[in-house]
Amino acid sequence: MTWVLLFQLDDLTYGIKVESVQEIVEKPEQYPLPGAKGCLRSVINFHGEVLAVINLPKLCRCKASHLDPRLIVLTDEFHSLAVQVNSVGSVVEIDIDRVASPGPGSGPPVLGTCQHDDEGDIHLFDMGSVIRQLEKLDLGVDGG
Amino acid sequence: MRVEISHKFIIGFLAVIVSGVLVNLGVPYLQIPVEFQQLFSICCSLVVGLIIGVLFSRLFTSNIRHLTDAGMRLSRGDLSKDIILSHNAFPDETSDITDAMNEVQQSLRTLVGDIREIALRVAESSQNLSVNSKDMSISSLEVADTVDQIGKGALTQAEMVEQCNRLFKEMAKAIHQVAGSAQKVAESARQTSETAEQGGEIANANLSSLRQVLTEAEASGQQLVTFINQLKQINKIVEVINGIAQKTNLLALNATIEAARAGEYGRGFTVVAEEIRKLADSTTSAAEEIRRVIEGISEESHRVQGTLGHVIDEMERGREGVDHTSQAFIAITRNAESTQTKANDIAELTEQQIASAQRIADSIDEIDKVVSDNAAATQKVSSTTMEQSAAMEEMADSAQQLSTLSEALLSAVKQFKLAEPPES
């Protein structure tokens, strides 16, 4: 069993393992980056650490433009960043063994899909793929 | 030296005799034969007598011719020259005749001059008289026309006076009716005044009730404003609760994440955090529900407040209307009282007018009689003026004839020549 944090992109429910989630912050002050373009526009001060704010719907070319005021701070052993989603959900427990392989598609990168009794289909979000995708993008600023 | 004609003849006769005597005395000394001396004497006497006769006759006839010529001039009217005798060394009766004729001539000059001057004045006066008579005749005609018009006017005046009399009688009847109407108006005004007083009392009572209702409505409006302010405060509190619930939700979410990251050790805490999060969600939902309810109540309160303000405005206008109505009733009462007083005054005045109209009608009757008399008198004056005009025309004709006569007299007098024109 694995705990995942649910969030919405367009009308689909995605989940990300809580091990990758450091914290959810509400309405932090965002500092625009001069000359930035695309999905990276600003940074935040997260407990003294400067984190880039990624507009995940824009990165994944979602249609919905509404953004939740809360930001999800993601981290792994090498990276930390804050992402904006259409809506932040709750934390649920899923059976990782019941996750099916994802089908072919051009949507956001996912590791697989599972069925939840209350939340319906949950797509496990592939954070590593997103970071790799970000590293390939020319964001108009010197990456670090 | 004056020598009368008879004396002159005697002197002449004596001269002839003296000459004959002297010749007889001187002939003997002339050596003339004796037989011829007598003849010579006679001849000489004859010659002397002839000479003296011729001289005397010339002297007489010369003065008489002068007198004859003067008489002829006088008969022609020539009074310009005095009569002067050519031989007047020894004045005689011809000189007396000459003086008498000169005096006559002088008297004629004066008389003719006076006649000429008087004729001129008479001619001028007769001309003026003729002109004045014509003017007076014209004026008399105009006066006659005017008097005729006055007569016609007097007739018209008489008709108008009669009509006026009739109208005055009708007016007297109308004044009677006005008096009756004025009394009715006074009665109506009295009733109007009483009704207006009752209306004013009712309006004042309504005004008092309306003021009380208005005061209560204003108090209700104030209470509603207080209620709306309290709703705003509740809404703020609900917003604070909502914010707390959202933060609680976030904290519960983060706690759930932390508990999940703790693995099996945080499982129980995860459940608690999830319950807290759900509780926060419920709180948020309840706060949102409260906010919606408060918003609905606030909107309804605002509508009630607006309606109440509208009602208060309407009641204020109604109060003003009732106030105006009360004022209008007071004004109506005053006007009705004033109308009653005036109607009574009108009734009294109409009574006086009736008496005055009766007096005027009597006076108009008198005027009618006087006007009729005037019309008759004017007709008489008109006929008299016509006769006067005819007399004036006759006078003008007589003056014209007098002028003609004076001109004829002047032309007759002009035959007399009074003096030679002065030599230039």
Side-chain angles (χ1 to χ4, degrees), chain B residues 68-81:
Chain B
T68 304
D69 292 339
M72 290 302 290
R73 285 203 311 274
L74 198 59
S75 68
R76 288 196 301 271
D78 187 2
L79 304 176
S80 60
K81 294 178 182 177

Side-chain angles (χ1 to χ4, degrees), chain A residues 36-50:
Chain A
K37 59 184 180 182
C39 57
L40 175 58
R41 290 292 180 90
S42 60
V43 296
I44 60 171
N45 180 2
F46 181 69
H47 303 307
E49 185 180 0
V50 177

Side-chain angles (χ1 to χ4, degrees), chain B residues 184-195:
Chain B
K184 290 179 182 175
V185 167
E187 181 60 22
S188 298
R190 188 185 62 76
Q191 292 175 0
T192 303
S193 176
E194 290 177 0
T195 307

Side-chain angles (χ1 to χ4, degrees), chain B residues 304-318:
Chain B
V304 170
Q305 187 183 20
T307 305
L308 191 60
H310 184 66
V311 168
I312 289 173
D313 291 341
E314 290 294 327
M315 289 175 71
E316 184 66 28
R317 279 196 284 274

Side-chain angles (χ1 to χ4, degrees), chain B residues 91-309:
Chain B
D92 52 15
E93 283 83 355
T94 58
S95 297
D96 295 338
I97 293 169
T98 302
D99 292 339
M101 287 185 70
N102 280 332
E103 287 181 2
V104 167
Q105 186 168 293
Q106 185 60 35
S107 297
L108 282 174
R109 280 179 191 156
T110 305
L111 180 62
V112 168
D114 291 342
I115 290 170
R116 182 180 294 176
E117 187 176 355
I118 289 167
L120 284 171
R121 289 181 183 175
V122 168
E124 187 177 357
S125 298
S126 60
Q127 286 289 339
N128 291 333
L129 182 62
S130 176
V131 172
N132 291 333
S133 298
K134 288 179 180 176
D135 291 342
M136 285 180 68
S137 177
I138 294 168
S139 300
S140 296
L141 287 173
E142 292 177 353
V143 168
D145 290 340
T146 306
V147 169
D148 192 26
Q149 291 178 0
I150 289 171
K152 292 177 180 175
L155 289 173
T156 306
Q157 194 176 10
E159 293 174 356
M160 290 179 71
V161 165
E162 187 177 351
Q163 189 177 1
C164 195
N165 193 5
R166 190 172 64 252
L167 289 174
F168 257 109
K169 287 176 181 174
E170 291 176 359
M171 192 175 74
K173 291 179 183 176
I175 290 170
H176 268 297
Q177 294 176 355
V178 168
S181 299
Q183 288 176 353
K184 290 179 182 175
V185 167
E187 181 60 22
S188 298
R190 188 185 62 76
Q191 292 175 0
T192 303
S193 176
E194 290 177 0
T195 307
E197 283 180 359
Q198 293 174 0
E201 290 173 358
I202 293 169
N204 284 330
N206 288 337
L207 188 62
S208 299
S209 301
L210 199 58
R211 279 176 181 160
Q212 187 175 355
V213 172
L214 186 61
T215 305
E216 291 174 357
E218 286 175 349
S220 299
Q222 192 62 38
Q223 289 173 357
L224 190 63
V225 169
T226 305
F227 177 68
I228 290 171
N229 290 332
Q230 289 173 350
L231 280 180
K232 286 179 181 175
Q233 289 178 359
I234 291 171
N235 201 20
K236 286 180 182 176
I237 292 170
V238 168
E239 285 179 358
V240 170
I241 291 171
N242 195 22
I244 291 170
Q246 286 181 355
K247 288 187 181 298
T248 303
N249 180 286
L250 186 64
L251 285 173
L253 192 60
N254 282 322
T256 304
I257 291 169
E258 285 295 332
R261 291 175 65 178
E264 198 62 32
Y265 299 103
R267 176 173 294 274
F269 187 74
T270 300
V271 174
V272 173
E274 182 63 17
E275 290 299 322
I276 291 172
R277 192 189 62 79
K278 289 181 180 176
L279 194 61
D281 280 343
S282 299
T283 304
T284 301
S285 300
E288 182 66 21
E289 185 67 23
I290 291 170
R291 191 188 63 77
R292 279 200 299 272
V293 170
I294 288 174
E295 191 173 329
I297 292 172
S298 180
E299 289 178 358
E300 194 65 30
S301 299
H302 278 105
R303 278 198 292 272
V304 170
Q305 187 183 20
T307 305
L308 191 60

